[in-house]
Every structure is written in C-alpha cells, then in structure tokens.
Amino acid sequence: MNDSQEWDKLLKQALAAAEEPEEQLNSSIINRYKERNRMKRVTRKRFSIGVLVAVLTLVMSITAVAATQLFSSKQVAEHLGDQVLAKAFESKGAIEINQTVASGDFNFTLHGIVSGAGLSGLNSSAQDINPDRTYAVVSIAKQNGSPMPDTQDPEYGKEPFFVSPFIKGQKPWQVNIMTMNGGYSEMVLDGIMYRLIECDGIEMFADRGVYLAVSSGSSFYSSEAFAYNESTGEVSARTDYKGTSILFDLPLDKAKADPAKAEAYLQELLKEPSEGEAADQAVSDEETAMMKRSEELKKLIPDGKVIPESVKEVTYDDKGNINYDYDGFSIMIAPDQLFAEGQTGLSEFMQVSEDDFTAKALQFSRDDKGVITGRVIVLK
C-alpha cells in the first residue's frame, strides 16, 4: 500500500466513525498529514464548477526583469533541501523565465520551470502515480517593499494564493494542479514569498499551449478569477475580479509535445469514476471540504477569544510525547510534530471542534526556553 492509499485509508476510518476518532488514529492522521504537507500543501482534488462565463481579455504588463534581487529557482530548491531539483533548474532542459506581473499590491514573478522524471530528491507519493513531473518557482512580493508574513507569523496564509498550470482547451476547474497530483512547498526569504509547485508533467501538452495561473483570495481554483471559453478552449483572467488573477503563457518547446500520451493522460484524469473510485472521490471531496473549512477557521484565530482557563503548559509522558487536556480537547503528540527544530512561536498545527453554534481551535506555542503551552480559542 503506497502513502496515498494509507492516507486515504486513515481518512476513511476517521470519516466513517460516528464518534470522535481515537487519539491513536488522530495522531496517525496528523502524522500522515504533516508528512504529506511538507511535500504537498494541496492535494488531488476534483471540482464540478460548471460555470460558463464570457471571454475577457486581461491587459497586463509583463516585463522581463533581471531578478537579481530575488533568489533563482535553483537557489529556492536548494533552500528547500532538494539538491536534485536544484541541479535540474540549471540544466539545459530548464526554462528560465523571470517575468514579473504587477497586480494589486503585489509583484508576481515566474522564475523558471523544469520537467522530467525523477527530478526531485524529496520523496513524494505522487511520483509513484506519475514519475514525469513538472516543477516551477513563483515568488510573491509586496509592491510597497514591506515583507510578506513569515511562515511562523500569524498573518501567514491570511491572503491565500492559488498557483496552477492550465491546459489550453481543457476546463481549468477539471484540469489543474489539484487534479494533476500536484502540490507545493513554500517559504519566505528576505520578506519575499517563494512557492515551488509540482504536478504531473506538462511538456506533453506543449503543442496545445499551457498557462501558469496565479490568483488570490483562495487556495483553490475560482471561477470568479478565471473565465473559460467553451468554443475556443481559451482561458482568460477576469478583469472584474477584485483580487489577483493573472496568466503566464509558458514558453514550452513544442518539439517535446506528445499528443498520444497527453490524450491518454486526459482520458484517465477525466474518466467517470468506478463505484469504488466514486467512494474514494467522496472521501476526497470530504478532504477538500475539511481543508477548506480549516483554512476558513484559521483566518478567525486573530479575532478569536482565548479561554483563559485553557492556557496551560503541556505535560510529558515517559516517551517524550506532550499531553494536553481541556474541555474535550485531548491530545498526545510528539513535540517535533508540532514544531521544527529550534522553532518558537505558534505551531501551524490546529485542532478544531465545531458544531452549529460554536467553533473552537486548540493551538500550541513554544517560547525560547522550549516551554510548550496550549490554548483554546473560541472562533465563533
């Protein structure tokens, strides 16, 4: 059983249970999610947003810049500890782009793209599904020069972004980074946010044309940000979208197109699921809803009300796991599953309890002396 199957199995167990999952199962899910999250901040999803809208043309200023003030794709991969990919980004097969688009309060730069089999040094279950992968680096900087929130900053993620390839002629809500076994890693360096995305290889579509889409306001595809013309297969950014909505036209080498492989790939991706796959899809949809709801609730934390009685230092068992209990929140977890080595401040981990009337979140923090404290926040 591969990682993806194990993950799906754990989710099925959790979702099938009428009662709250046991702590061991919770821990297993957290472990698997964290492991997967290191590689994939988004996971395989399918959408059914059947919205047909008019074609609009976005006039945007794309300027080739010498992004000397920014890190290169190779350096970003190195910072993420992926030496294999770093070498690939300086190989002949890589495409260095360095195009910047100013939109809203941000500058978005597409640094480069590289495709091939077995490029990444990071192990990803998605590579088991399709070893031919594509990687691209995009940076996001504030135009006023102020820094993007660090990944440990409570403001981090408050402005979500969606970065994905779109294939010309394919409905973008059906064929995007989520359905193409994609994901991303992200970091902030010198106040600039860098996102390394990966997905199934796109060079096979080189003769059709491929965009790299960037939008703000959601981590998922939004039909409010992009329009699709059923007649021409063209995707365009909507000029009436209040957030960022831009498209980079990827300069892929048409000689590397593989029409037969591309058609077979799309048939597999778009085929109607079997009964068993439909059940898996239901789990996947649940997973999508859970992740989306989690993001929504996470945004409420800064305005939430901390329950004073819930603020207390965690205890440890003889195996070094931390224990925290308060009003139904009960967790036993290894500290390194909450905090990276040397990390202080708030943990990205959040456990949520929600009913029709209230939503509460359990969050942990660690100070410079290594003391870990839990707290429960009323979100609504």
Side-chain angles (χ1 to χ4, degrees):
M1 184 178 292
N2 59 34
D3 289 348
S4 179
Q5 290 170 327
E6 289 178 0
W7 167 252
D8 288 344
K9 180 181 177 182
L10 289 169
L11 275 173
K12 288 176 184 177
Q13 290 173 341
L15 295 170
E19 301 176 352
E20 183 179 358
E22 295 180 356
E23 191 56 46
Q24 183 178 1
L25 179 57
N26 272 336
S27 297
S28 298
I29 292 173
I30 293 167
N31 291 344
R32 300 306 304 162
Y33 178 75
K34 185 176 181 182
E35 179 181 338
R36 189 171 179 165
N37 211 30
R38 287 196 186 106
M39 281 298 301
K40 302 176 63 182
R41 296 298 296 271
V42 289
T43 53
R44 179 167 52 93
K45 307 292 183 301
R46 289 173 186 260
F47 289 85
S48 299
I49 307 173
V51 179
L52 177 62
V53 293
V55 175
L56 298 172
T57 301
L58 175 65
V59 179
M60 55 189 179
S61 174
I62 300 180
T63 306
V65 298
T68 53
Q69 75 278 22
L70 300 173
F71 287 94
S72 67
S73 301
K74 172 179 177 288
Q75 291 171 320
V76 171
E78 286 176 339
H79 275 281
L80 290 170
D82 196 334
Q83 299 301 325
V84 175
L85 188 58
K87 290 182 180 178
F89 270 121
E90 62 177 1
S91 68
K92 292 182 179 179
I95 303 173
E96 188 175 359
I97 300 174
N98 290 330
Q99 288 183 332
T100 297
V101 175
S103 179
D105 297 329
F106 304 95
N107 287 331
F108 299 87
T109 299
L110 171 57
H111 292 252
I113 185 170
V114 67
S115 298
L119 289 183
S120 178
L122 300 174
N123 294 321
S124 169
S125 58
Q127 291 178 321
D128 297 333
I129 300 171
N130 187 355
D132 187 5
R133 308 286 287 168
T134 288
Y135 299 83
V137 172
V138 173
S139 68
I140 304 171
K142 290 187 178 180
Q143 291 183 6
N144 63 9
S146 61
M148 296 290 288
D150 186 79
T151 54
Q152 303 306 318
D153 192 311
E155 293 295 309
Y156 173 72
K158 199 170 183 179
E159 177 69 65
F161 298 98
F162 173 73
V163 181
S164 170
F166 290 163
I167 312 300
K168 291 180 181 178
Q170 299 300 313
K171 297 179 176 65
W173 57 89
Q174 291 182 335
V175 183
N176 59 50
I177 189 170
M178 296 185 178
T179 57
M180 299 175 71
N181 301 302
Y184 68 83
S185 299
E186 195 168 72
M187 62 182 177
V188 177
L189 293 171
D190 295 340
I192 309 295
M193 179 180 290
Y194 293 87
R195 179 175 291 196
L196 169 65
I197 70 160
E198 65 160 299
C199 64
D200 293 338
I202 59 174
E203 280 190 329
M204 57 183 162
F205 298 109
D207 57 337
R208 300 181 184 224
V210 182
Y211 312 95
L212 188 77
V214 181
S215 62
S216 63
S218 174
S219 300
F220 302 89
Y221 169 78
S222 171
S223 59
E224 296 179 354
F226 299 101
Y228 176 72
N229 186 300
E230 294 273 3
S231 301
T232 65
E234 291 287 335
V235 181
S236 59
R238 298 192 57 155
T239 54
D240 58 350
Y241 184 59
K242 294 181 180 178
T244 292
S245 176
I246 55 181
L247 293 171
F248 293 95
D249 207 345
L250 297 180
L252 301 179
D253 183 356
K254 292 184 177 180
K256 294 184 177 179
D258 189 334
K261 182 180 178 181
E263 188 59 31
Y265 176 84
L266 289 173
Q267 287 185 7
E268 177 66 22
L269 187 149
L270 299 173
K271 74 177 182 181
E272 291 295 325
S274 65
E275 185 175 343
E277 290 172 332
D280 290 342
Q281 185 61 55
V283 173
S284 180
D285 290 343
E286 291 281 359
E287 182 185 354
T288 300
M290 290 168 61
M291 293 179 66
K292 190 172 184 178
R293 184 56 180 159
S294 177
E295 286 195 1
E296 292 172 349
L297 292 174
K298 193 172 183 179
K299 293 177 182 177
L300 300 178
I301 286 182
D303 297 322
K305 182 178 180 181
V306 177
I307 301 175
E309 297 80 9
S310 71
V311 181
K312 55 183 181 179
E313 188 175 332
V314 303
T315 60
Y316 292 83
D317 65 14
D318 56 3
K319 295 181 180 177
N321 296 316
I322 68 168
N323 290 281
Y324 178 90
D325 288 282
Y326 174 78
D327 191 27
F329 284 96
S330 178
I331 188 169
M332 179 179 65
I333 191 171
D336 62 4
Q337 293 177 9
L338 297 178
F339 301 95
E341 185 176 356
Q343 178 189 344
T344 59
L346 295 172
S347 168
E348 289 189 25
F349 170 84
M350 181 180 71
Q351 190 180 69
V352 175
S353 171
E354 183 179 25
D355 58 27
D356 292 340
F357 305 102
T358 61
K360 298 176 183 177
L362 168 61
Q363 196 175 35
F364 293 94
S365 62
R366 184 163 67 178
D367 64 20
D368 55 6
K369 296 180 180 178
V371 177
I372 298 176
T373 302
R375 63 176 185 171
V376 175
I377 307 164
V378 179
L379 304 177
K380 71 171 186 177

